Amino acid sequence: MSEKTVFLNIEDKMLRYDAAVLLRQMADSLAQGGFPAEGGCIAVGNEVKVECKGKLKSKEGGCKGSLKVEIAWSAQS
């Protein structure tokens, strides 16, 4: 039986600069091979699958945009 553990869950409103800092920290962790977590580190394999999707939705008076990045990997325990 498989077990799922949420090791990161961020949903917050922040300044664009602060979001960029957060993304840089996550990128640095990924480059170093893992993400910090309670009780240790979540190891990331050398090969990852990356999916990026950007959307713009036009509305009266402006537009709304979003960017989603998903990184998946397999690691042996």
Side-chain angles (χ1 to χ4, degrees), residues 1-65:
M1 183 180 346
S2 66
E3 180 183 324
K4 290 184 180 182
T5 302
V6 175
F7 69 91
L8 181 67
N9 185 17
I10 300 170
E11 192 169 334
D12 198 3
K13 211 173 226 188
M14 61 182 74
L15 296 174
R16 180 183 60 228
Y17 176 84
D18 294 332
V21 168
L22 175 65
L23 290 172
R24 280 188 197 96
Q25 291 170 342
M26 291 172 62
D28 289 345
S29 293
L30 179 62
Q32 292 174 10
F35 292 98
E38 284 185 30
C41 182
I42 305 296
V44 177
N46 285 332
E47 192 168 297
V48 298
K49 178 181 177 186
V50 178
E51 292 182 38
C52 299
K53 183 184 277 188
K55 292 182 180 180
L56 278 177
K57 190 175 190 179
S58 297
K59 291 183 161 189
E60 274 188 41
C63 66
K64 185 176 182 177

